[in-house]
Amino acid sequence: MDDQPNLGPKVINSFELIGKRWTGLIIYVLMSGPKRFSEIHATISDLSKRMLTERMKELEDHGIVVRHVIPERPVRTEYLLTKKGTELGRILGPISQWAESWIKD
């Protein structure tokens, strides 16, 4: 019996995506509901606007986040998780519980 993990392209690509700095935190922040760009930026204080823009674009391209423009005055833009992103967020949630138990400040 072979106990080796399946490291096919889908597994490799998914770990590369969620392993990028800030990606997991952005998804974790969006688990509480839609957020404006400025709200995400304020919540993750060390994240630069340039990097947040880059990560949001990647998450949109992968179908994890959707950008929703609200046609009010002034126009508002919110980001929210897709079904795919919400499922990923549910997997990332236990990581925060693990961190609270095992990671020192």
XYZ file of all heavy atoms in Angstrom:
851
model
N 0.844 -1.183 0.000
C 0.000 0.000 0.000
C 0.887 1.242 0.000
O 1.826 1.357 0.767
C -0.909 -0.021 1.225
C -1.853 1.163 1.246
S -2.928 1.156 2.683
C -4.162 0.025 2.112
N 0.558 2.187 -0.852
C 1.342 3.413 -1.003
C 0.752 4.516 -0.131
O -0.387 4.918 -0.321
C 1.339 3.829 -2.478
C 2.287 4.973 -2.764
O 3.075 5.349 -1.873
O 2.238 5.490 -3.895
N 1.539 4.999 0.848
C 1.072 6.045 1.757
C 1.527 7.433 1.337
O 1.420 8.377 2.112
C 1.556 5.768 3.185
C 0.860 4.567 3.798
O -0.247 4.236 3.337
O 1.419 3.969 4.728
N 2.037 7.573 0.142
C 2.511 8.862 -0.325
C 1.329 9.774 -0.657
O 0.339 9.331 -1.225
C 3.387 8.695 -1.586
C 4.671 7.936 -1.326
C 5.567 8.657 -0.339
O 5.741 9.862 -0.416
N 6.124 7.910 0.602
N 1.425 11.072 -0.287
C 0.335 11.997 -0.632
C 0.255 12.222 -2.133
O 1.252 12.123 -2.838
C 0.724 13.281 0.091
C 2.183 13.184 0.327
C 2.518 11.717 0.412
N -0.954 12.514 -2.602
C -1.161 12.822 -4.010
C -0.699 14.255 -4.267
O -1.312 15.199 -3.799
C -2.641 12.669 -4.359
C -2.944 13.107 -5.781
O -2.052 13.322 -6.596
N -4.212 13.248 -6.078
N 0.375 14.401 -5.007
C 0.898 15.732 -5.321
C 0.687 16.057 -6.792
O 1.592 16.501 -7.484
C 2.383 15.828 -4.955
C 2.714 15.686 -3.476
C 4.200 15.846 -3.241
C 1.938 16.693 -2.644
N -0.541 15.856 -7.239
C -0.884 16.193 -8.610
C -0.926 17.698 -8.802
O -0.818 18.482 -7.844
N -1.090 18.145 -10.030
C -1.069 19.576 -10.332
C -2.112 20.383 -9.567
O -1.841 21.510 -9.161
C -1.324 19.644 -11.834
C -1.269 18.262 -12.360
C -1.261 17.326 -11.216
N -3.300 19.843 -9.361
C -4.330 20.584 -8.632
C -3.908 20.828 -7.187
O -4.103 21.923 -6.648
C -5.663 19.833 -8.656
C -6.327 19.818 -10.011
C -7.646 19.090 -9.951
C -8.312 19.061 -11.310
N -9.628 18.405 -11.255
N -3.342 19.823 -6.560
C -2.895 19.953 -5.166
C -1.747 20.946 -5.089
O -1.736 21.841 -4.239
C -2.487 18.577 -4.588
C -1.848 18.726 -3.216
C -3.699 17.652 -4.530
N -0.797 20.826 -5.979
C 0.354 21.734 -5.989
C -0.105 23.174 -6.204
O 0.290 24.084 -5.473
C 1.371 21.307 -7.065
C 2.032 19.988 -6.649
C 2.428 22.394 -7.288
C 2.875 19.332 -7.725
N -0.968 23.394 -7.187
C -1.446 24.750 -7.469
C -2.234 25.343 -6.305
O -2.113 26.535 -6.004
C -2.292 24.773 -8.745
C -1.468 24.549 -9.987
O -0.256 24.767 -9.996
N -2.106 24.091 -11.040
N -3.051 24.520 -5.641
C -3.837 25.038 -4.515
C -2.936 25.425 -3.347
O -3.141 26.469 -2.716
C -4.900 24.035 -4.071
O -4.308 22.861 -3.557
N -1.902 24.631 -3.060
C -0.986 24.983 -1.981
C -0.145 26.202 -2.338
O 0.174 27.010 -1.467
C -0.091 23.798 -1.598
C -0.727 22.899 -0.580
C -1.515 21.828 -0.973
C -0.542 23.125 0.766
C -2.109 21.007 -0.042
C -1.133 22.305 1.716
C -1.927 21.239 1.310
N 0.197 26.361 -3.587
C 0.919 27.564 -4.008
C 0.050 28.803 -3.808
O 0.523 29.832 -3.335
C 1.356 27.455 -5.469
C 2.531 26.539 -5.676
C 2.913 26.377 -7.146
O 2.224 26.932 -8.032
O 3.902 25.683 -7.406
N -1.225 28.703 -4.153
C -2.128 29.850 -4.013
C -2.321 30.227 -2.549
O -2.098 31.374 -2.170
C -3.486 29.545 -4.658
C -4.559 30.619 -4.450
C -4.159 31.913 -5.159
C -5.906 30.122 -4.932
N -2.721 29.283 -1.709
C -2.999 29.631 -0.317
C -1.729 29.854 0.489
O -1.778 30.460 1.560
C -3.919 28.599 0.384
C -3.263 27.223 0.445
C -5.277 28.575 -0.260
C -4.044 26.215 1.256
N -0.588 29.416 -0.052
C 0.676 29.624 0.639
C 1.281 31.000 0.408
O 2.240 31.378 1.085
N 0.712 31.763 -0.513
C 1.231 33.110 -0.757
C 0.933 33.995 0.441
O -0.148 33.904 1.041
C 0.603 33.731 -2.008
C 1.119 33.118 -3.274
C 0.559 33.846 -4.470
C 1.163 33.286 -5.742
N 0.692 34.013 -6.910
N 1.879 34.843 0.759
C 1.715 35.722 1.911
C 0.445 36.566 1.761
O 0.187 37.115 0.696
C 2.926 36.617 2.057
C 2.880 37.409 3.339
C 4.193 38.003 3.671
N 4.101 38.534 5.024
C 4.987 39.318 5.552
N 6.053 39.664 4.868
N 4.843 39.760 6.781
N -0.317 36.650 2.809
C -1.537 37.434 2.962
C -2.794 36.753 2.413
O -3.901 37.115 2.798
C -1.429 38.837 2.358
C -0.256 39.603 2.835
C 0.804 40.016 2.072
C 0.022 40.051 4.167
N 1.714 40.689 2.852
C 1.256 40.725 4.147
C -0.652 39.946 5.371
C 1.816 41.285 5.286
C -0.096 40.500 6.492
C 1.126 41.170 6.441
N -2.665 35.802 1.513
C -3.843 35.208 0.877
C -4.786 34.587 1.900
O -5.991 34.856 1.891
C -3.428 34.178 -0.185
O -2.632 34.827 -1.169
C -4.626 33.533 -0.847
N -4.256 33.755 2.776
C -5.090 33.113 3.794
C -5.761 34.120 4.708
O -6.937 33.976 5.049
N -5.036 35.160 5.095
C -5.612 36.187 5.971
C -6.732 36.954 5.276
O -7.748 37.269 5.902
C -4.534 37.171 6.425
C -3.724 36.779 7.642
C -2.651 37.823 7.925
C -4.604 36.578 8.848
N -6.554 37.247 4.008
C -7.604 37.954 3.261
C -8.874 37.104 3.226
O -9.975 37.596 3.497
C -7.131 38.308 1.835
C -6.004 39.347 1.896
C -8.295 38.803 0.983
C -5.267 39.542 0.584
N -8.732 35.836 2.924
C -9.890 34.941 2.892
C -10.522 34.851 4.274
O -11.745 34.924 4.418
C -9.481 33.546 2.369
C -9.039 33.655 0.906
C -10.623 32.543 2.532
C -8.339 32.423 0.375
N -9.687 34.745 5.302
C -10.175 34.663 6.682
C -10.981 35.918 7.057
O -12.051 35.824 7.652
C -8.987 34.471 7.623
C -9.353 34.262 9.062
C -9.948 33.074 9.479
C -9.102 35.243 10.010
C -10.284 32.882 10.809
C -9.435 35.057 11.341
C -10.028 33.869 11.731
O -10.362 33.679 13.044
N -10.494 37.086 6.676
C -11.189 38.344 6.949
C -12.532 38.388 6.220
O -13.543 38.828 6.768
C -10.307 39.558 6.571
C -11.102 40.842 6.517
C -9.143 39.682 7.540
N -12.562 37.903 4.990
C -13.800 37.928 4.199
C -14.829 36.892 4.663
O -15.990 36.963 4.264
C -13.491 37.747 2.718
C -12.817 38.943 2.048
C -12.391 38.593 0.625
C -13.738 40.155 2.049
N -14.418 35.960 5.517
C -15.370 34.970 6.035
C -16.461 35.633 6.874
O -17.557 35.097 6.996
C -14.649 33.900 6.867
C -13.923 32.856 6.047
S -15.002 31.862 4.990
C -15.882 30.898 6.218
N -16.188 36.802 7.426
C -17.195 37.473 8.246
C -18.186 38.280 7.407
O -19.108 38.880 7.955
C -16.520 38.383 9.279
O -15.787 39.402 8.641
N -18.000 38.301 6.090
C -18.938 38.986 5.216
C -18.232 39.920 4.255
O -17.017 40.111 4.328
N -18.998 40.511 3.320
C -18.413 41.414 2.320
C -17.676 42.574 2.981
O -18.103 43.071 4.027
C -19.623 41.925 1.544
C -20.702 40.935 1.800
C -20.442 40.379 3.161
N -16.581 42.962 2.371
C -15.772 44.071 2.887
C -15.345 44.970 1.735
O -15.100 44.511 0.628
C -14.505 43.554 3.565
C -14.723 42.610 4.720
C -14.983 43.355 5.987
C -15.084 42.436 7.173
N -16.264 41.616 7.228
N -15.217 46.247 2.054
C -14.630 47.190 1.110
C -13.119 47.037 1.179
O -12.566 46.548 2.163
C -15.066 48.602 1.460
C -16.579 48.790 1.296
C -17.037 50.119 1.745
N -16.563 51.123 0.783
C -16.863 52.405 0.847
N -17.620 52.863 1.836
N -16.428 53.243 -0.050
N -12.454 47.472 0.127
C -10.995 47.403 0.053
C -10.374 48.039 1.299
O -9.483 47.460 1.928
C -10.511 48.111 -1.217
C -9.037 48.024 -1.456
C -8.506 47.011 -2.223
C -8.176 48.975 -0.924
C -7.136 46.934 -2.455
C -6.818 48.906 -1.152
C -6.292 47.885 -1.921
N -10.864 49.219 1.665
C -10.300 49.942 2.812
C -10.505 49.186 4.125
O -9.664 49.258 5.020
C -10.901 51.344 2.916
O -12.302 51.268 3.070
N -11.596 48.453 4.237
C -11.840 47.666 5.453
C -10.859 46.500 5.555
O -10.357 46.210 6.643
C -13.272 47.125 5.465
C -14.335 48.188 5.616
C -15.736 47.619 5.465
O -16.024 46.932 4.460
O -16.543 47.883 6.369
N -10.613 45.845 4.437
C -9.640 44.749 4.428
C -8.264 45.292 4.789
O -7.549 44.737 5.625
C -9.608 44.040 3.058
C -10.970 43.440 2.727
C -8.516 42.959 3.039
C -11.128 42.999 1.290
N -7.900 46.409 4.162
C -6.597 47.027 4.403
C -6.446 47.440 5.869
O -5.391 47.242 6.472
C -6.395 48.226 3.474
C -5.055 48.839 3.593
N -4.846 50.028 4.251
C -3.839 48.419 3.160
C -3.564 50.323 4.207
N -2.934 49.362 3.558
N -7.491 47.992 6.453
C -7.438 48.416 7.853
C -7.338 47.221 8.803
O -6.680 47.302 9.841
C -8.664 49.258 8.195
N -7.968 46.126 8.452
C -7.952 44.938 9.307
C -6.587 44.261 9.303
O -6.116 43.801 10.340
C -9.039 43.939 8.849
O -10.301 44.597 8.870
C -9.083 42.727 9.751
N -5.950 44.216 8.138
C -4.622 43.599 8.019
C -3.617 44.741 7.890
O -3.212 45.116 6.786
C -4.557 42.638 6.806
C -5.722 41.650 6.843
C -3.220 41.898 6.796
C -5.841 40.775 5.614
N -3.226 45.288 9.004
C -2.483 46.560 9.030
C -1.119 46.519 8.334
O -0.692 47.533 7.794
C -2.321 47.031 10.468
O -1.641 46.062 11.229
N -0.431 45.392 8.320
C 0.894 45.333 7.695
C 0.839 45.096 6.190
O 1.871 45.092 5.519
C 1.744 44.237 8.342
C 2.143 44.579 9.760
O 2.123 45.779 10.114
O 2.469 43.651 10.523
N -0.331 44.904 5.651
C -0.514 44.623 4.231
C -0.574 45.928 3.440
O -1.417 46.782 3.706
C -1.812 43.822 4.046
C -2.287 43.507 2.637
C -1.235 42.739 1.855
C -3.575 42.708 2.709
N 0.318 46.080 2.483
C 0.333 47.299 1.667
C -0.844 47.291 0.688
O -1.357 46.230 0.319
C 1.644 47.426 0.895
O 1.686 46.475 -0.156
N -1.244 48.470 0.259
C -2.332 48.577 -0.713
C -1.961 47.914 -2.028
O -2.794 47.276 -2.667
C -2.699 50.041 -0.942
C -3.414 50.663 0.232
C -3.788 52.102 -0.036
C -4.508 52.700 1.165
N -4.886 54.088 0.936
N -0.710 48.064 -2.440
C -0.260 47.438 -3.675
C -0.371 45.913 -3.601
O -0.876 45.261 -4.517
C 1.195 47.840 -3.973
C 1.713 47.263 -5.293
C 3.211 47.456 -5.467
N 4.008 46.758 -4.486
C 4.283 45.447 -4.506
N 3.804 44.689 -5.463
N 5.024 44.900 -3.576
N 0.065 45.335 -2.476
C -0.002 43.884 -2.318
C -1.446 43.411 -2.197
O -1.803 42.371 -2.744
C 0.812 43.441 -1.104
C 0.860 41.933 -0.917
S 1.552 41.037 -2.332
C 3.246 41.575 -2.278
N -2.282 44.182 -1.499
C -3.692 43.818 -1.386
C -4.343 43.818 -2.761
O -5.094 42.897 -3.105
C -4.422 44.771 -0.444
C -5.924 44.534 -0.273
C -6.232 43.105 0.154
C -6.506 45.532 0.713
N -4.045 44.812 -3.569
C -4.580 44.871 -4.932
C -4.159 43.635 -5.726
O -4.985 43.009 -6.411
C -4.103 46.158 -5.646
O -4.567 47.283 -4.912
C -4.596 46.222 -7.080
N -2.893 43.273 -5.614
C -2.368 42.105 -6.338
C -3.054 40.824 -5.876
O -3.488 40.006 -6.701
C -0.857 42.019 -6.097
C -0.176 40.911 -6.852
C 1.325 40.895 -6.600
O 1.949 41.978 -6.660
O 1.867 39.807 -6.340
N -3.171 40.647 -4.570
C -3.796 39.428 -4.047
C -5.289 39.362 -4.397
O -5.802 38.296 -4.742
C -3.623 39.332 -2.529
C -2.214 39.052 -2.079
C -1.738 37.671 -2.526
N -0.375 37.461 -2.105
C 0.680 37.603 -2.898
N 0.522 37.922 -4.169
N 1.890 37.397 -2.445
N -5.974 40.499 -4.332
C -7.396 40.491 -4.671
C -7.601 40.112 -6.130
O -8.524 39.360 -6.460
C -8.038 41.851 -4.376
C -8.067 42.228 -2.904
S -8.774 40.986 -1.814
C -10.483 41.062 -2.276
N -6.742 40.595 -7.002
C -6.824 40.250 -8.427
C -6.612 38.747 -8.620
O -7.349 38.102 -9.378
C -5.794 41.070 -9.215
C -5.768 40.774 -10.687
C -7.031 41.238 -11.381
C -6.897 41.026 -12.879
N -8.080 40.433 -13.467
N -5.622 38.189 -7.932
C -5.376 36.741 -8.027
C -6.572 35.943 -7.525
O -6.970 34.955 -8.162
C -4.138 36.362 -7.202
C -2.838 36.822 -7.786
C -1.653 36.568 -6.867
O -1.855 36.242 -5.677
O -0.527 36.704 -7.343
N -7.129 36.368 -6.401
C -8.281 35.651 -5.851
C -9.495 35.759 -6.766
O -10.254 34.796 -6.909
C -8.600 36.173 -4.444
C -7.554 35.829 -3.379
C -7.847 36.569 -2.083
C -7.482 34.331 -3.144
N -9.662 36.904 -7.412
C -10.732 37.047 -8.411
C -10.485 36.115 -9.592
O -11.406 35.437 -10.056
C -10.803 38.479 -8.926
C -11.483 39.461 -8.005
C -11.577 40.825 -8.653
O -12.519 41.044 -9.435
O -10.700 41.669 -8.372
N -9.255 36.090 -10.085
C -8.912 35.249 -11.230
C -9.147 33.772 -10.945
O -9.477 33.005 -11.854
C -7.452 35.459 -11.640
C -7.202 36.826 -12.256
O -8.185 37.524 -12.614
O -6.015 37.217 -12.370
N -8.994 33.366 -9.693
C -9.187 31.965 -9.309
C -10.632 31.658 -8.899
O -10.935 30.533 -8.506
C -8.231 31.593 -8.168
C -6.818 31.422 -8.618
N -6.353 30.285 -9.243
C -5.762 32.258 -8.545
C -5.082 30.418 -9.532
N -4.688 31.610 -9.117
N -11.499 32.654 -8.959
C -12.897 32.433 -8.622
C -13.160 32.272 -7.140
O -14.176 31.695 -6.748
N -12.274 32.815 -6.307
C -12.422 32.712 -4.856
C -13.122 33.945 -4.299
O -13.861 33.859 -3.330
C -11.039 32.484 -4.205
C -10.524 31.106 -4.639
C -11.085 32.616 -2.695
C -9.091 30.828 -4.296
N -12.876 35.075 -4.925
C -13.458 36.353 -4.505
C -14.148 36.987 -5.706
O -13.691 36.836 -6.836
C -12.343 37.300 -3.976
C -12.854 38.710 -3.780
C -11.757 36.769 -2.681
N -15.250 37.671 -5.437
C -15.916 38.430 -6.480
C -15.941 39.896 -6.051
O -16.114 40.210 -4.878
C -17.333 37.885 -6.776
C -18.254 38.045 -5.602
C -17.924 38.528 -7.999
N -15.731 40.746 -7.014
C -15.757 42.197 -6.793
C -17.141 42.679 -7.179
O -17.602 42.476 -8.298
C -14.680 42.841 -7.679
C -14.544 44.315 -7.528
C -13.361 44.767 -8.412
N -13.173 46.179 -8.317
C -13.623 47.065 -9.196
N -14.305 46.661 -10.256
N -13.407 48.340 -9.036
N -17.831 43.323 -6.249
C -19.209 43.761 -6.470
C -19.268 45.284 -6.392
O -18.955 45.868 -5.350
C -20.122 43.123 -5.408
C -21.544 43.455 -5.562
N -22.254 44.151 -4.615
C -22.424 43.185 -6.563
C -23.495 44.303 -5.018
N -23.620 43.731 -6.190
N -19.657 45.912 -7.487
C -19.781 47.369 -7.535
C -21.213 47.733 -7.189
O -22.162 47.234 -7.797
C -19.398 47.917 -8.929
C -19.594 49.421 -8.983
C -17.966 47.539 -9.279
N -21.358 48.618 -6.189
C -22.673 49.066 -5.751
C -22.890 50.467 -6.316
O -22.186 51.407 -5.939
C -22.762 49.070 -4.211
C -22.505 47.650 -3.693
C -24.118 49.586 -3.749
C -22.255 47.565 -2.219
N -23.850 50.601 -7.244
C -24.043 51.877 -7.944
C -24.797 52.908 -7.106
O -25.923 53.272 -7.404
C -24.828 51.467 -9.189
C -25.596 50.267 -8.758
C -24.747 49.573 -7.738
N -24.170 53.355 -6.054
C -24.728 54.424 -5.226
C -23.867 55.652 -5.436
O -22.881 55.626 -6.147
C -24.685 54.027 -3.741
C -25.536 52.834 -3.388
C -25.381 52.437 -1.931
O -24.420 52.886 -1.267
O -26.211 51.658 -1.460
N -24.233 56.720 -4.793
C -23.398 57.923 -4.815
C -22.784 58.094 -3.441
O -23.528 58.277 -2.481
C -24.229 59.153 -5.174
C -24.788 59.093 -6.550
C -24.049 60.086 -7.420
N -24.702 60.102 -8.731
C -24.026 59.979 -9.834
N -22.732 59.884 -9.814
N -24.652 59.996 -10.980
N -21.498 58.029 -3.259
C -20.507 57.631 -4.251
C -20.552 56.124 -4.515
O -21.068 55.368 -3.702
C -19.188 58.022 -3.587
C -19.443 57.915 -2.138
C -20.898 58.309 -1.959
N -20.005 55.725 -5.640
C -19.964 54.310 -6.016
C -19.119 53.564 -4.990
O -18.062 54.029 -4.589
C -19.376 54.144 -7.444
C -19.173 52.680 -7.775
C -20.275 54.806 -8.464
N -19.639 52.416 -4.547
C -18.907 51.587 -3.587
C -18.552 50.263 -4.232
O -19.295 49.750 -5.060
C -19.753 51.312 -2.345
C -20.024 52.519 -1.509
C -20.788 52.198 -0.237
N -21.818 51.194 -0.421
C -22.119 50.256 0.480
N -21.473 50.184 1.613
N -23.076 49.393 0.247
N -17.418 49.736 -3.835
C -16.991 48.426 -4.299
C -16.754 47.538 -3.087
O -16.066 47.932 -2.152
C -15.696 48.520 -5.119
O -15.914 49.418 -6.215
C -15.282 47.170 -5.661
N -17.365 46.368 -3.089
C -17.165 45.401 -2.023
C -16.605 44.112 -2.607
O -16.823 43.808 -3.775
C -18.482 45.074 -1.322
C -19.030 46.181 -0.485
C -20.285 45.774 0.257
O -20.994 44.847 -0.200
O -20.557 46.388 1.286
N -15.899 43.406 -1.769
C -15.367 42.099 -2.140
C -16.032 41.059 -1.257
O -16.196 41.264 -0.056
C -13.851 42.062 -1.942
C -13.127 42.987 -2.878
C -12.873 44.299 -2.523
C -12.714 42.548 -4.127
C -12.216 45.163 -3.392
C -12.061 43.406 -5.006
C -11.813 44.702 -4.622
O -11.170 45.553 -5.478
N -16.436 39.958 -1.872
C -17.032 38.883 -1.106
C -16.573 37.545 -1.642
O -16.146 37.436 -2.804
C -18.552 38.980 -1.108
C -19.264 38.971 -2.443
C -20.533 38.143 -2.344
C -19.637 40.397 -2.809
N -16.643 36.559 -0.779
C -16.225 35.216 -1.163
C -17.295 34.553 -2.019
O -18.491 34.706 -1.769
C -15.980 34.361 0.078
C -14.825 34.785 0.971
C -14.812 33.941 2.245
C -13.495 34.653 0.243
N -16.846 33.804 -2.998
C -17.739 32.956 -3.779
C -17.991 31.679 -2.968
O -17.430 31.503 -1.874
C -17.086 32.578 -5.118
O -15.885 31.843 -4.836
C -16.769 33.807 -5.958
N -18.792 30.790 -3.490
C -19.005 29.498 -2.824
C -17.669 28.770 -2.678
O -17.368 28.208 -1.623
C -19.994 28.642 -3.617
C -20.293 27.318 -2.975
C -21.286 26.496 -3.751
C -21.480 25.163 -3.042
N -22.265 24.239 -3.837
N -16.877 28.827 -3.715
C -15.547 28.208 -3.709
C -14.683 28.833 -2.601
O -13.994 28.125 -1.859
C -14.910 28.433 -5.082
C -13.550 27.865 -5.298
C -13.134 28.179 -6.747
C -11.778 27.703 -7.101
N -11.424 28.017 -8.489
N -14.732 30.154 -2.481
C -13.956 30.854 -1.460
C -14.451 30.562 -0.059
O -13.649 30.428 0.873
N -15.762 30.446 0.106
C -16.326 30.136 1.414
C -15.908 28.744 1.868
O -15.562 28.540 3.035
C -17.863 30.255 1.379
O -18.201 31.591 0.996
C -18.490 29.933 2.717
N -15.912 27.793 0.952
C -15.461 26.438 1.300
C -13.995 26.445 1.704
O -13.610 25.768 2.654
C -15.706 25.479 0.136
C -17.163 25.137 -0.046
C -17.389 24.066 -1.092
O -16.471 23.249 -1.339
O -18.492 24.043 -1.663
N -13.185 27.216 1.000
C -11.776 27.338 1.365
C -11.645 28.002 2.734
O -10.842 27.579 3.564
C -11.011 28.129 0.302
C -9.532 28.372 0.560
C -8.774 27.063 0.780
C -8.931 29.151 -0.602
N -12.442 29.025 2.993
C -12.412 29.710 4.282
C -12.755 28.785 5.437
O -12.179 28.892 6.525
N -13.683 27.873 5.217
C -14.047 26.904 6.263
C -12.865 26.005 6.612
O -12.737 25.564 7.753
C -15.234 26.063 5.823
C -16.535 26.821 5.841
C -17.723 25.898 5.616
N -18.891 26.695 5.321
C -19.594 26.618 4.202
N -19.271 25.748 3.267
N -20.646 27.387 4.027
N -12.034 25.732 5.645
C -10.845 24.926 5.895
C -9.790 25.743 6.631
O -9.084 25.233 7.497
C -10.274 24.389 4.564
C -11.257 23.425 3.921
C -8.923 23.734 4.763
C -10.966 23.102 2.486
N -9.697 27.035 6.322
C -8.706 27.899 6.957
C -9.089 28.265 8.387
O -8.218 28.563 9.207
C -8.517 29.173 6.134
C -7.935 28.988 4.735
C -7.896 30.319 4.000
C -6.556 28.357 4.790
N -10.381 28.255 8.711
C -10.842 28.609 10.053
C -10.162 27.834 11.170
O -9.699 28.426 12.149
N -10.075 26.506 11.072
C -9.403 25.748 12.129
C -7.927 26.116 12.318
O -7.380 25.893 13.392
C -9.559 24.295 11.680
C -10.811 24.296 10.857
C -10.791 25.628 10.143
N -7.322 26.711 11.314
C -5.933 27.149 11.471
C -5.848 28.227 12.547
O -4.905 28.249 13.345
C -5.341 27.631 10.132
C -5.229 26.460 9.167
C -3.983 28.312 10.338
C -4.823 26.830 7.768
N -6.828 29.127 12.591
C -6.815 30.165 13.630
C -6.978 29.543 15.009
O -6.364 29.997 15.974
C -7.888 31.217 13.368
O -9.167 30.674 13.545
N -7.793 28.504 15.132
C -7.949 27.811 16.404
C -6.641 27.136 16.805
O -6.229 27.194 17.958
C -9.081 26.787 16.313
C -10.437 27.416 16.090
C -11.492 26.404 15.695
O -11.198 25.229 15.429
N -12.735 26.848 15.643
N -5.989 26.502 15.853
C -4.701 25.873 16.106
C -3.683 26.924 16.542
O -2.934 26.722 17.499
C -4.217 25.154 14.839
C -2.846 24.592 14.954
C -2.498 23.376 15.479
C -1.625 25.211 14.538
N -1.135 23.227 15.408
C -0.585 24.334 14.838
C -1.334 26.444 13.940
C 0.747 24.633 14.567
C -0.014 26.737 13.670
C 1.018 25.834 13.969
N -3.676 28.072 15.863
C -2.732 29.142 16.193
C -2.950 29.653 17.615
O -1.976 29.896 18.343
C -2.868 30.290 15.199
N -4.203 29.822 18.022
C -4.494 30.284 19.379
C -3.948 29.310 20.418
O -3.511 29.713 21.485
C -6.000 30.479 19.579
C -6.582 31.653 18.822
C -6.068 32.986 19.295
O -5.730 33.138 20.493
O -5.983 33.912 18.457
N -3.970 28.020 20.100
C -3.505 27.002 21.042
C -1.987 26.825 21.034
O -1.402 26.551 22.071
C -4.141 25.649 20.712
O -5.540 25.715 20.856
N -1.365 26.973 19.876
C 0.015 26.551 19.744
C 1.050 27.614 19.427
O 2.244 27.433 19.650
C 0.103 25.458 18.675
C -0.580 24.206 19.122
C -1.837 23.801 18.775
C -0.079 23.213 20.011
N -2.138 22.608 19.390
C -1.064 22.224 20.157
C 1.131 23.055 20.696
C -0.900 21.111 20.956
C 1.295 21.933 21.499
C 0.283 20.980 21.623
N 0.641 28.752 18.889
C 1.610 29.788 18.487
C 1.746 30.810 19.611
O 0.757 31.308 20.113
C 1.175 30.475 17.171
C 1.034 29.444 16.058
C 2.139 31.581 16.786
C 2.298 28.726 15.672
N 2.985 31.095 19.948
C 3.241 32.087 21.000
C 3.280 33.479 20.384
O 3.672 33.660 19.251
C 4.559 31.791 21.689
C 4.522 30.482 22.438
C 5.806 30.189 23.151
C 5.665 28.842 23.809
N 6.786 28.451 24.572
N 2.871 34.473 21.167
C 2.835 35.870 20.690
C 4.197 36.390 20.330
O 5.199 36.167 20.703
C 2.213 36.788 21.742
C 0.713 36.529 21.843
O 0.125 36.011 20.898
O 0.147 36.873 22.891
